[in-house]
Amino acid sequence: MPLPPRILVLDPTGARREVLLATFPFRIGRQTDIELSLRDNRISRLHAQITIAGGEYFLEDLGSRRGTCVNGETVAEPRLLQTKDVIDFCLPESFKLVYLGDEATIEELIERVETPAETPPGTRELHQLGVLLDVAHTLGSRLSLEDMLAAVVDAAVRLTHTERGVLLLYDAEGELQPTVARREGGETIPPEALQISAGVLRRAIRSHRELIVSDAGGLPAEEQQASVASLSLLTIVAIPIEKRSTISAIDATLTANESELLGVLYLDSRSSSAPFSDADREVLRALAHEAATVIENARLFSTARAKARLDHEIEIASQIQRQLLPRSLPRIPHLQVEAFTLACYQVGGDCFDVIELGHGRFGFFVGDVSGKGIAASLLATLLQGVFYTTATLDMPLPEITRRVNQYLCDRSASDRYATLFYGVLDPAGHLEYVNAGHVPPLVRRASGKVEELKGANFPVGMFAGAEFVASRASLGPGDFLVICSDGVSEANNLADEMFGEERLRELLCGCAGVSAAQLAETVRVAVRAFTGSAPQADDITMIAVEYRGEPS
């Protein structure tokens, strides 16, 4: 008896349930006395219905206000339903329906096994395969992958009365390779003794359906002749192993992902077999599904281990990146410095340094590499190292920047570059700086006025041979130099508004009578309060320098 079709109902909370399509027309809507009532006031009372014609099932919109969609396409006329079609009501955060069709589940096959009266004569042992697979699935966490797959192949050989079973899986290069090969009785077949019908494999792979051949019938003449002559086979079974199609959700959108072919379970025998019934085929499909589950679970476990290892390595990289930052900041009579960096991810593409040059002179460096994440963090670490090494030579600032630019152009990809600001402040308050495409720093005067330090140069790592020009400014007692990355001004809140340079200027104007540490903390707190619960979209770095006047 064929299975009744069903639909999977997913409500906005994430709860799910299966509903059988037993009555036609199968009406869907807000009305309470119909086949599927959905509690959403935006859905019409009679929104849509599923009908049957010629053994096929159709979805029809009943003149609803919002419309009905299948896989994102509006239904204008009755739409033939295919397995895994996603039905929605053109509404955000509302119900979704997934048409599951009449495909048998492993639980239903097991139930058939437990009901002998419904089991076709002569196929009871084959039906028991469902039970064995269910047991193997339960014990999956206690067996190695190799043992689990061997158990699947042994069960298939024993319950189909074939002589050999081979599980072939795709390797990393996309080639189909024998993974498990067993004879009747559980004996392993060595690779050199393994011969299988390549024609049957090709047909099963092309069709994505099980292929069952009794007495080598059903094969094209050339394949039949090759199989019988070379292998003397009378029974051949090939079952595609597929990762079942899934439904993924992003926000309120459901997407049906196509199934993926993992390999083939191949069985053959030199003796004839009894005809395979529809029930036999269903059990073989269940076998393929369970084998795919075992393989996919092993994949997920391997992926989880790889991710854990990667997470550990990223954490180590994050620690190294933090350790490369200055361990202490100047706290001398004429100068106080505060600095911080907040990575968008575990590692970031921003970097900063404070370089002591002697005679009371200090260099202040902030770099911002294009992009985020691991790639940006590697280049940021490289940039910080090469800049510190070059800057300690105490050469003219344009020459320092030119050398760093050439180094990056020679050793990084053409699409990788960085903006940077480097300024050298002497005890008299004279500031010489190079701005290579960076956000212009701000000077907060003791009077409360905020000024921008202008400068026009290309970012480093963009053009080999680029020339750079230095600019000059002066700081007076009580003035602050504030150097930021664009993660401050471009911080976004949930309304997609940016913190902006104007808001930063107003914030600095109000910072009267504060220290460098208090000013930096004020900016950090303000940015955090502005963004609220919005995720951090970029790395944030800041250096605040308070100049207290020339030492006596």
Side-chain angles (χ1 to χ4, degrees):
M1 180 178 179
L3 293 166
R6 71 204 74 194
I7 56 174
L8 178 66
V9 181
L10 301 99
D11 71 24
T13 67
R16 55 181 61 203
R17 58 192 171 98
E18 285 190 13
V19 177
L20 297 179
L21 302 179
T23 304
F24 295 96
F26 185 90
R27 297 165 296 174
I28 305 168
R30 197 175 74 249
Q31 192 168 307
T32 57
D33 59 346
I34 58 177
E35 286 69 29
L36 180 59
S37 179
L38 304 175
R39 295 184 178 181
D40 186 332
N41 291 333
R42 300 170 296 172
I43 294 176
S44 300
R45 292 176 59 83
L46 286 176
H47 199 109
Q49 67 180 15
I50 297 175
T51 60
I52 183 172
E56 296 182 312
Y57 300 90
F58 296 84
L59 177 71
E60 179 182 357
D61 183 80
L62 296 178
S64 63
R65 289 174 298 169
R66 303 274 187 167
T68 308
C69 293
V70 175
N71 302 332
E73 297 180 359
T74 303
V75 174
E77 55 187 27
R79 166 77 174 258
L80 175 64
L81 289 175
Q82 305 288 343
T83 301
K84 297 300 186 294
D85 277 349
V86 178
I87 304 167
D88 65 69
F89 306 97
C90 308
L91 296 167
E93 299 181 2
S94 185
F95 289 86
K96 306 282 184 182
L97 310 179
V98 182
Y99 178 67
L100 300 180
D102 57 0
E103 186 175 289
T105 64
I106 187 66
E107 291 80 5
E108 291 165 335
L109 292 171
I110 293 171
E111 183 177 349
R112 293 187 189 184
V113 172
E114 295 171 348
T115 311
E118 297 181 1
T119 303
T123 61
R124 179 175 177 80
E125 288 185 331
L126 188 56
H127 278 273
Q128 290 172 350
L129 180 56
V131 178
L132 294 176
L133 287 174
D134 189 56
V135 172
H137 184 63
T138 303
L139 297 176
S141 60
R142 304 176 188 175
L143 297 176
S144 68
L145 175 61
E146 182 179 355
D147 290 340
M148 176 62 70
L149 296 180
V152 170
V153 174
D154 288 344
V157 169
R158 185 167 63 254
L159 296 175
T160 54
H161 300 292
T162 49
E163 297 174 352
R164 303 186 309 164
V166 183
L167 180 62
L168 302 102
L169 300 178
Y170 284 102
D171 60 17
E173 286 71 38
E175 298 293 331
L176 199 61
Q177 300 291 347
T179 302
V180 177
R182 310 274 280 188
R183 287 195 180 94
E184 187 178 11
E187 180 186 354
T188 298
I189 304 175
E192 62 272 12
L194 187 61
Q195 287 184 296
I196 57 179
S197 173
V200 170
L201 282 180
R202 285 194 298 269
R203 292 190 63 202
I205 291 169
R206 284 198 302 265
S207 65
H208 282 240
R209 298 284 294 177
E210 72 280 357
L211 179 62
I212 302 173
V213 181
S214 298
D215 297 332
L219 285 175
E222 64 276 10
E223 292 182 9
Q224 178 176 340
Q225 183 178 5
S227 298
V228 173
S230 63
L231 304 177
S232 301
L233 300 176
L234 296 180
T235 300
I236 307 172
V237 179
I239 314 163
I241 306 295
E242 292 184 301
K243 175 184 174 182
R244 301 191 69 174
S245 54
T246 57
I247 303 296
S248 58
I250 301 178
D251 297 327
T253 302
L254 292 181
T255 304
N257 302 317
E258 293 186 1
S259 60
E260 174 190 353
L261 186 63
L262 304 176
V264 178
L265 176 59
Y266 172 91
L267 306 135
D268 65 22
S269 179
R270 288 167 294 181
S271 60
S272 300
S273 65
F276 285 79
S277 66
D278 290 340
D280 298 336
R281 293 174 179 269
E282 288 182 9
V283 176
L284 290 172
R285 293 185 196 120
L287 166 61
H289 293 159
E290 288 299 298
T293 300
V294 171
I295 296 165
E296 187 61 18
N297 285 345
R299 272 187 175 185
L300 293 175
F301 178 71
S302 177
T303 301
R305 290 187 63 181
K307 182 180 183 302
R309 184 169 58 252
L310 178 61
D311 289 344
H312 178 64
E313 292 173 354
I314 291 175
E315 178 57 30
I316 293 175
S318 178
Q319 293 175 5
I320 294 173
Q321 196 170 37
R322 290 193 297 269
Q323 291 168 355
L324 290 174
L325 297 176
R327 296 187 178 183
S328 62
L329 298 171
R331 292 287 188 271
I332 55 180
H334 74 282
L335 205 64
Q336 276 205 340
V337 181
E338 188 64 31
F340 68 85
T341 184
L342 302 172
C344 180
Y345 303 123
Q346 286 179 276
V347 289
D350 283 5
C351 54
F352 74 88
D353 218 329
V354 179
I355 305 166
E356 187 172 1
L357 299 171
H359 306 291
R361 297 165 61 243
F362 288 88
F364 303 99
F365 161 73
V366 173
D368 184 357
V369 173
S370 61
K372 293 179 282 294
I374 296 175
S377 73
L378 291 173
L379 187 55
T381 301
L382 175 66
L383 173 63
Q384 182 180 355
V386 70
F387 199 95
Y388 179 88
T389 303
T390 309
T392 54
L393 299 176
D394 204 7
M395 297 182 295
L397 271 60
E399 177 62 15
I400 292 173
T401 314
R402 186 195 68 78
R403 292 192 182 192
V404 171
N405 175 69
Q406 192 63 45
Y407 183 91
L408 293 181
C409 287
D410 290 344
R411 290 167 174 81
S412 64
S414 58
D415 60 341
R416 289 290 179 181
Y417 61 90
T419 66
L420 66 82
F421 174 89
Y422 181 57
V424 175
L425 182 65
D426 68 15
H430 300 136
L431 177 70
E432 183 182 10
Y433 64 89
V434 169
N435 187 333
H438 200 74
V439 178
L442 300 175
V443 174
R444 197 267 187 200
R445 300 294 181 184
S447 63
K449 181 181 178 181
V450 177
E451 301 174 0
E452 182 179 283
L453 295 184
K454 297 184 181 298
N457 291 288
F458 286 115
V460 293
M462 183 173 285
F463 299 111
E467 297 294 331
F468 297 88
V469 178
S471 303
R472 289 172 175 79
S474 294
L475 299 183
D479 289 351
F480 285 89
L481 170 64
V482 180
I483 313 166
C484 299
S485 65
D486 58 9
V488 174
S489 59
E490 296 180 4
N492 280 47
N493 61 15
L494 289 175
D496 204 26
E497 300 169 329
M498 288 199 303
F499 188 79
E501 293 185 11
E502 189 59 36
R503 188 176 276 104
L504 178 59
R505 285 171 172 267
E506 293 175 0
L507 187 65
L508 295 179
C509 284
C511 289
V514 301
S515 65
Q518 290 170 331
L519 185 145
E521 182 63 15
T522 298
V523 173
R524 178 161 43 188
V525 170
V527 171
R528 186 185 299 119
F530 175 80
T531 56
S533 58
Q536 184 178 333
D538 199 0
D539 304 319
I540 296 175
T541 299
M542 177 179 175
I543 296 180
V545 181
E546 179 187 5
Y547 178 69
R548 294 181 170 181
E550 187 171 2
S552 56

PDB file of all heavy atoms in Angstrom, residues 399-425:
ATOM      1  N   GLU A 399      60.952  58.629   4.220  1.00  0.00           N
ATOM      2  CA  GLU A 399      61.793  57.497   3.839  1.00  0.00           C
ATOM      3  C   GLU A 399      61.361  56.230   4.571  1.00  0.00           C
ATOM      4  O   GLU A 399      61.350  55.129   3.983  1.00  0.00           O
ATOM      5  CB  GLU A 399      63.257  57.810   4.134  1.00  0.00           C
ATOM      6  CG  GLU A 399      64.224  56.670   3.840  1.00  0.00           C
ATOM      7  CD  GLU A 399      64.259  56.268   2.376  1.00  0.00           C
ATOM      8  OE1 GLU A 399      63.753  57.030   1.515  1.00  0.00           O
ATOM      9  OE2 GLU A 399      64.792  55.182   2.069  1.00  0.00           O
ATOM     10  N   ILE A 400      60.980  56.370   5.836  1.00  0.00           N
ATOM     11  CA  ILE A 400      60.472  55.211   6.584  1.00  0.00           C
ATOM     12  C   ILE A 400      59.247  54.647   5.883  1.00  0.00           C
ATOM     13  O   ILE A 400      59.145  53.431   5.642  1.00  0.00           O
ATOM     14  CB  ILE A 400      60.124  55.627   8.031  1.00  0.00           C
ATOM     15  CG1 ILE A 400      61.399  55.970   8.805  1.00  0.00           C
ATOM     16  CG2 ILE A 400      59.351  54.502   8.737  1.00  0.00           C
ATOM     17  CD1 ILE A 400      61.118  56.555  10.186  1.00  0.00           C
ATOM     18  N   THR A 401      58.326  55.518   5.546  1.00  0.00           N
ATOM     19  CA  THR A 401      57.073  55.075   4.922  1.00  0.00           C
ATOM     20  C   THR A 401      57.331  54.495   3.536  1.00  0.00           C
ATOM     21  O   THR A 401      56.705  53.519   3.132  1.00  0.00           O
ATOM     22  CB  THR A 401      56.081  56.247   4.826  1.00  0.00           C
ATOM     23  OG1 THR A 401      56.053  56.950   6.068  1.00  0.00           O
ATOM     24  CG2 THR A 401      54.682  55.744   4.504  1.00  0.00           C
ATOM     25  N   ARG A 402      58.284  55.094   2.801  1.00  0.00           N
ATOM     26  CA  ARG A 402      58.600  54.580   1.461  1.00  0.00           C
ATOM     27  C   ARG A 402      59.139  53.156   1.552  1.00  0.00           C
ATOM     28  O   ARG A 402      58.750  52.284   0.764  1.00  0.00           O
ATOM     29  CB  ARG A 402      59.626  55.501   0.779  1.00  0.00           C
ATOM     30  CG  ARG A 402      59.904  55.136  -0.670  1.00  0.00           C
ATOM     31  CD  ARG A 402      61.151  55.817  -1.191  1.00  0.00           C
ATOM     32  NE  ARG A 402      62.358  55.297  -0.542  1.00  0.00           N
ATOM     33  CZ  ARG A 402      62.921  54.133  -0.878  1.00  0.00           C
ATOM     34  NH1 ARG A 402      62.404  53.357  -1.812  1.00  0.00           N
ATOM     35  NH2 ARG A 402      64.026  53.745  -0.247  1.00  0.00           N
ATOM     36  N   ARG A 403      60.019  52.899   2.507  1.00  0.00           N
ATOM     37  CA  ARG A 403      60.593  51.558   2.652  1.00  0.00           C
ATOM     38  C   ARG A 403      59.526  50.529   3.045  1.00  0.00           C
ATOM     39  O   ARG A 403      59.525  49.403   2.530  1.00  0.00           O
ATOM     40  CB  ARG A 403      61.710  51.585   3.686  1.00  0.00           C
ATOM     41  CG  ARG A 403      62.940  52.362   3.252  1.00  0.00           C
ATOM     42  CD  ARG A 403      64.105  52.097   4.189  1.00  0.00           C
ATOM     43  NE  ARG A 403      65.293  52.854   3.828  1.00  0.00           N
ATOM     44  CZ  ARG A 403      66.503  52.641   4.340  1.00  0.00           C
ATOM     45  NH1 ARG A 403      66.661  51.659   5.246  1.00  0.00           N
ATOM     46  NH2 ARG A 403      67.524  53.361   3.972  1.00  0.00           N
ATOM     47  N   VAL A 404      58.642  50.928   3.959  1.00  0.00           N
ATOM     48  CA  VAL A 404      57.563  50.015   4.371  1.00  0.00           C
ATOM     49  C   VAL A 404      56.643  49.719   3.190  1.00  0.00           C
ATOM     50  O   VAL A 404      56.235  48.575   2.958  1.00  0.00           O
ATOM     51  CB  VAL A 404      56.765  50.617   5.538  1.00  0.00           C
ATOM     52  CG1 VAL A 404      55.508  49.786   5.827  1.00  0.00           C
ATOM     53  CG2 VAL A 404      57.632  50.706   6.792  1.00  0.00           C
ATOM     54  N   ASN A 405      56.332  50.743   2.411  1.00  0.00           N
ATOM     55  CA  ASN A 405      55.478  50.559   1.234  1.00  0.00           C
ATOM     56  C   ASN A 405      56.118  49.590   0.245  1.00  0.00           C
ATOM     57  O   ASN A 405      55.450  48.679  -0.276  1.00  0.00           O
ATOM     58  CB  ASN A 405      55.232  51.911   0.571  1.00  0.00           C
ATOM     59  CG  ASN A 405      54.460  51.763  -0.733  1.00  0.00           C
ATOM     60  OD1 ASN A 405      53.296  51.412  -0.749  1.00  0.00           O
ATOM     61  ND2 ASN A 405      55.128  52.034  -1.848  1.00  0.00           N
ATOM     62  N   GLN A 406      57.395  49.761  -0.016  1.00  0.00           N
ATOM     63  CA  GLN A 406      58.074  48.893  -0.969  1.00  0.00           C
ATOM     64  C   GLN A 406      58.112  47.451  -0.473  1.00  0.00           C
ATOM     65  O   GLN A 406      57.934  46.506  -1.241  1.00  0.00           O
ATOM     66  CB  GLN A 406      59.498  49.408  -1.222  1.00  0.00           C
ATOM     67  CG  GLN A 406      60.185  48.748  -2.409  1.00  0.00           C
ATOM     68  CD  GLN A 406      59.468  49.042  -3.714  1.00  0.00           C
ATOM     69  OE1 GLN A 406      59.089  50.173  -3.984  1.00  0.00           O
ATOM     70  NE2 GLN A 406      59.262  47.995  -4.525  1.00  0.00           N
ATOM     71  N   TYR A 407      58.340  47.303   0.825  1.00  0.00           N
ATOM     72  CA  TYR A 407      58.379  45.960   1.419  1.00  0.00           C
ATOM     73  C   TYR A 407      57.035  45.250   1.228  1.00  0.00           C
ATOM     74  O   TYR A 407      56.988  44.074   0.821  1.00  0.00           O
ATOM     75  CB  TYR A 407      58.717  46.070   2.904  1.00  0.00           C
ATOM     76  CG  TYR A 407      58.866  44.736   3.603  1.00  0.00           C
ATOM     77  CD1 TYR A 407      60.097  44.105   3.680  1.00  0.00           C
ATOM     78  CD2 TYR A 407      57.769  44.114   4.198  1.00  0.00           C
ATOM     79  CE1 TYR A 407      60.249  42.881   4.325  1.00  0.00           C
ATOM     80  CE2 TYR A 407      57.902  42.889   4.836  1.00  0.00           C
ATOM     81  CZ  TYR A 407      59.134  42.283   4.902  1.00  0.00           C
ATOM     82  OH  TYR A 407      59.268  41.074   5.531  1.00  0.00           O
ATOM     83  N   LEU A 408      55.938  45.938   1.504  1.00  0.00           N
ATOM     84  CA  LEU A 408      54.614  45.321   1.365  1.00  0.00           C
ATOM     85  C   LEU A 408      54.283  45.037  -0.095  1.00  0.00           C
ATOM     86  O   LEU A 408      53.685  43.996  -0.421  1.00  0.00           O
ATOM     87  CB  LEU A 408      53.542  46.214   1.986  1.00  0.00           C
ATOM     88  CG  LEU A 408      53.588  46.386   3.507  1.00  0.00           C
ATOM     89  CD1 LEU A 408      52.446  47.270   3.978  1.00  0.00           C
ATOM     90  CD2 LEU A 408      53.523  45.037   4.205  1.00  0.00           C
ATOM     91  N   CYS A 409      54.645  45.938  -0.982  1.00  0.00           N
ATOM     92  CA  CYS A 409      54.374  45.721  -2.409  1.00  0.00           C
ATOM     93  C   CYS A 409      55.118  44.495  -2.928  1.00  0.00           C
ATOM     94  O   CYS A 409      54.605  43.754  -3.777  1.00  0.00           O
ATOM     95  CB  CYS A 409      54.768  46.950  -3.222  1.00  0.00           C
ATOM     96  SG  CYS A 409      53.642  48.356  -3.026  1.00  0.00           S
ATOM     97  N   ASP A 410      56.320  44.271  -2.402  1.00  0.00           N
ATOM     98  CA  ASP A 410      57.123  43.138  -2.860  1.00  0.00           C
ATOM     99  C   ASP A 410      56.649  41.816  -2.281  1.00  0.00           C
ATOM    100  O   ASP A 410      56.879  40.755  -2.882  1.00  0.00           O
ATOM    101  CB  ASP A 410      58.596  43.348  -2.471  1.00  0.00           C
ATOM    102  CG  ASP A 410      59.250  44.467  -3.259  1.00  0.00           C
ATOM    103  OD1 ASP A 410      58.677  44.858  -4.299  1.00  0.00           O
ATOM    104  OD2 ASP A 410      60.301  44.958  -2.817  1.00  0.00           O
ATOM    105  N   ARG A 411      55.994  41.839  -1.124  1.00  0.00           N
ATOM    106  CA  ARG A 411      55.739  40.593  -0.397  1.00  0.00           C
ATOM    107  C   ARG A 411      54.274  40.316  -0.068  1.00  0.00           C
ATOM    108  O   ARG A 411      53.989  39.367   0.645  1.00  0.00           O
ATOM    109  CB  ARG A 411      56.547  40.600   0.909  1.00  0.00           C
ATOM    110  CG  ARG A 411      58.045  40.471   0.680  1.00  0.00           C
ATOM    111  CD  ARG A 411      58.818  40.790   1.931  1.00  0.00           C
ATOM    112  NE  ARG A 411      60.246  40.531   1.758  1.00  0.00           N
ATOM    113  CZ  ARG A 411      61.066  41.368   1.155  1.00  0.00           C
ATOM    114  NH1 ARG A 411      60.600  42.506   0.667  1.00  0.00           N
ATOM    115  NH2 ARG A 411      62.350  41.071   1.023  1.00  0.00           N
ATOM    116  N   SER A 412      53.348  41.105  -0.572  1.00  0.00           N
ATOM    117  CA  SER A 412      51.931  40.834  -0.317  1.00  0.00           C
ATOM    118  C   SER A 412      51.151  40.896  -1.617  1.00  0.00           C
ATOM    119  O   SER A 412      51.643  41.408  -2.634  1.00  0.00           O
ATOM    120  CB  SER A 412      51.354  41.833   0.698  1.00  0.00           C
ATOM    121  OG  SER A 412      51.382  43.146   0.176  1.00  0.00           O
ATOM    122  N   ALA A 413      49.925  40.366  -1.584  1.00  0.00           N
ATOM    123  CA  ALA A 413      49.079  40.349  -2.784  1.00  0.00           C
ATOM    124  C   ALA A 413      48.723  41.763  -3.200  1.00  0.00           C
ATOM    125  O   ALA A 413      48.691  42.695  -2.386  1.00  0.00           O
ATOM    126  CB  ALA A 413      47.813  39.534  -2.506  1.00  0.00           C
ATOM    127  N   SER A 414      48.428  41.907  -4.491  1.00  0.00           N
ATOM    128  CA  SER A 414      48.162  43.238  -5.038  1.00  0.00           C
ATOM    129  C   SER A 414      46.895  43.864  -4.463  1.00  0.00           C
ATOM    130  O   SER A 414      46.736  45.083  -4.482  1.00  0.00           O
ATOM    131  CB  SER A 414      48.039  43.153  -6.566  1.00  0.00           C
ATOM    132  OG  SER A 414      47.000  42.255  -6.934  1.00  0.00           O
ATOM    133  N   ASP A 415      45.969  43.035  -3.951  1.00  0.00           N
ATOM    134  CA  ASP A 415      44.729  43.580  -3.395  1.00  0.00           C
ATOM    135  C   ASP A 415      44.821  43.797  -1.890  1.00  0.00           C
ATOM    136  O   ASP A 415      43.820  44.088  -1.242  1.00  0.00           O
ATOM    137  CB  ASP A 415      43.554  42.651  -3.709  1.00  0.00           C
ATOM    138  CG  ASP A 415      43.731  41.261  -3.126  1.00  0.00           C
ATOM    139  OD1 ASP A 415      44.881  40.905  -2.792  1.00  0.00           O
ATOM    140  OD2 ASP A 415      42.735  40.535  -3.007  1.00  0.00           O
ATOM    141  N   ARG A 416      45.999  43.632  -1.323  1.00  0.00           N
ATOM    142  CA  ARG A 416      46.193  43.846   0.108  1.00  0.00           C
ATOM    143  C   ARG A 416      47.001  45.120   0.331  1.00  0.00           C
ATOM    144  O   ARG A 416      48.102  45.264  -0.197  1.00  0.00           O
ATOM    145  CB  ARG A 416      46.931  42.652   0.728  1.00  0.00           C
ATOM    146  CG  ARG A 416      46.082  41.395   0.808  1.00  0.00           C
ATOM    147  CD  ARG A 416      44.997  41.548   1.846  1.00  0.00           C
ATOM    148  NE  ARG A 416      44.151  40.355   1.912  1.00  0.00           N
ATOM    149  CZ  ARG A 416      43.124  40.246   2.732  1.00  0.00           C
ATOM    150  NH1 ARG A 416      42.817  41.231   3.538  1.00  0.00           N
ATOM    151  NH2 ARG A 416      42.410  39.158   2.733  1.00  0.00           N
ATOM    152  N   TYR A 417      46.439  46.013   1.098  1.00  0.00           N
ATOM    153  CA  TYR A 417      47.129  47.256   1.405  1.00  0.00           C
ATOM    154  C   TYR A 417      46.745  47.687   2.815  1.00  0.00           C
ATOM    155  O   TYR A 417      45.928  47.038   3.482  1.00  0.00           O
ATOM    156  CB  TYR A 417      46.765  48.352   0.395  1.00  0.00           C
ATOM    157  CG  TYR A 417      45.299  48.700   0.386  1.00  0.00           C
ATOM    158  CD1 TYR A 417      44.790  49.702   1.221  1.00  0.00           C
ATOM    159  CD2 TYR A 417      44.405  48.017  -0.438  1.00  0.00           C
ATOM    160  CE1 TYR A 417      43.441  50.013   1.226  1.00  0.00           C
ATOM    161  CE2 TYR A 417      43.066  48.318  -0.433  1.00  0.00           C
ATOM    162  CZ  TYR A 417      42.577  49.316   0.397  1.00  0.00           C
ATOM    163  OH  TYR A 417      41.250  49.608   0.416  1.00  0.00           O
ATOM    164  N   ALA A 418      47.345  48.774   3.282  1.00  0.00           N
ATOM    165  CA  ALA A 418      47.046  49.251   4.635  1.00  0.00           C
ATOM    166  C   ALA A 418      47.143  50.772   4.657  1.00  0.00           C
ATOM    167  O   ALA A 418      47.982  51.380   3.978  1.00  0.00           O
ATOM    168  CB  ALA A 418      48.020  48.646   5.642  1.00  0.00           C
ATOM    169  N   THR A 419      46.264  51.376   5.443  1.00  0.00           N
ATOM    170  CA  THR A 419      46.419  52.794   5.742  1.00  0.00           C
ATOM    171  C   THR A 419      47.224  52.895   7.037  1.00  0.00           C
ATOM    172  O   THR A 419      47.177  51.991   7.886  1.00  0.00           O
ATOM    173  CB  THR A 419      45.058  53.478   5.917  1.00  0.00           C
ATOM    174  OG1 THR A 419      44.409  52.966   7.089  1.00  0.00           O
ATOM    175  CG2 THR A 419      44.168  53.232   4.705  1.00  0.00           C
ATOM    176  N   LEU A 420      47.963  53.996   7.189  1.00  0.00           N
ATOM    177  CA  LEU A 420      48.713  54.163   8.437  1.00  0.00           C
ATOM    178  C   LEU A 420      48.932  55.643   8.720  1.00  0.00           C
ATOM    179  O   LEU A 420      48.928  56.492   7.818  1.00  0.00           O
ATOM    180  CB  LEU A 420      50.054  53.416   8.387  1.00  0.00           C
ATOM    181  CG  LEU A 420      51.147  53.857   7.423  1.00  0.00           C
ATOM    182  CD1 LEU A 420      51.973  55.051   7.964  1.00  0.00           C
ATOM    183  CD2 LEU A 420      52.101  52.703   7.126  1.00  0.00           C
ATOM    184  N   PHE A 421      49.094  55.911   9.989  1.00  0.00           N
ATOM    185  CA  PHE A 421      49.512  57.242  10.449  1.00  0.00           C
ATOM    186  C   PHE A 421      50.715  57.048  11.345  1.00  0.00           C
ATOM    187  O   PHE A 421      50.722  56.178  12.220  1.00  0.00           O
ATOM    188  CB  PHE A 421      48.397  57.936  11.228  1.00  0.00           C
ATOM    189  CG  PHE A 421      48.830  59.247  11.832  1.00  0.00           C
ATOM    190  CD1 PHE A 421      48.717  60.419  11.116  1.00  0.00           C
ATOM    191  CD2 PHE A 421      49.365  59.290  13.116  1.00  0.00           C
ATOM    192  CE1 PHE A 421      49.139  61.636  11.668  1.00  0.00           C
ATOM    193  CE2 PHE A 421      49.778  60.499  13.674  1.00  0.00           C
ATOM    194  CZ  PHE A 421      49.672  61.675  12.942  1.00  0.00           C
ATOM    195  N   TYR A 422      51.759  57.870  11.106  1.00  0.00           N
ATOM    196  CA  TYR A 422      52.932  57.842  11.971  1.00  0.00           C
ATOM    197  C   TYR A 422      53.345  59.275  12.261  1.00  0.00           C
ATOM    198  O   TYR A 422      53.608  60.060  11.340  1.00  0.00           O
ATOM    199  CB  TYR A 422      54.092  57.096  11.311  1.00  0.00           C
ATOM    200  CG  TYR A 422      55.320  57.016  12.188  1.00  0.00           C
ATOM    201  CD1 TYR A 422      55.272  56.442  13.453  1.00  0.00           C
ATOM    202  CD2 TYR A 422      56.544  57.530  11.746  1.00  0.00           C
ATOM    203  CE1 TYR A 422      56.403  56.370  14.261  1.00  0.00           C
ATOM    204  CE2 TYR A 422      57.686  57.452  12.536  1.00  0.00           C
ATOM    205  CZ  TYR A 422      57.606  56.874  13.804  1.00  0.00           C
ATOM    206  OH  TYR A 422      58.722  56.812  14.606  1.00  0.00           O
ATOM    207  N   GLY A 423      53.363  59.597  13.555  1.00  0.00           N
ATOM    208  CA  GLY A 423      53.757  60.937  13.960  1.00  0.00           C
ATOM    209  C   GLY A 423      54.829  60.884  15.034  1.00  0.00           C
ATOM    210  O   GLY A 423      54.785  60.021  15.917  1.00  0.00           O
ATOM    211  N   VAL A 424      55.783  61.798  14.956  1.00  0.00           N
ATOM    212  CA  VAL A 424      56.866  61.893  15.944  1.00  0.00           C
ATOM    213  C   VAL A 424      56.713  63.219  16.690  1.00  0.00           C
ATOM    214  O   VAL A 424      56.692  64.303  16.067  1.00  0.00           O
ATOM    215  CB  VAL A 424      58.246  61.808  15.268  1.00  0.00           C
ATOM    216  CG1 VAL A 424      59.350  62.036  16.307  1.00  0.00           C
ATOM    217  CG2 VAL A 424      58.426  60.447  14.598  1.00  0.00           C
ATOM    218  N   LEU A 425      56.605  63.140  18.023  1.00  0.00           N
ATOM    219  CA  LEU A 425      56.402  64.313  18.868  1.00  0.00           C
ATOM    220  C   LEU A 425      57.646  64.528  19.733  1.00  0.00           C
ATOM    221  O   LEU A 425      58.122  63.595  20.399  1.00  0.00           O
ATOM    222  CB  LEU A 425      55.178  64.098  19.766  1.00  0.00           C
ATOM    223  CG  LEU A 425      54.791  65.246  20.691  1.00  0.00           C
ATOM    224  CD1 LEU A 425      54.349  66.472  19.885  1.00  0.00           C
ATOM    225  CD2 LEU A 425      53.668  64.811  21.640  1.00  0.00           C
TER     226      LEU A 425
END
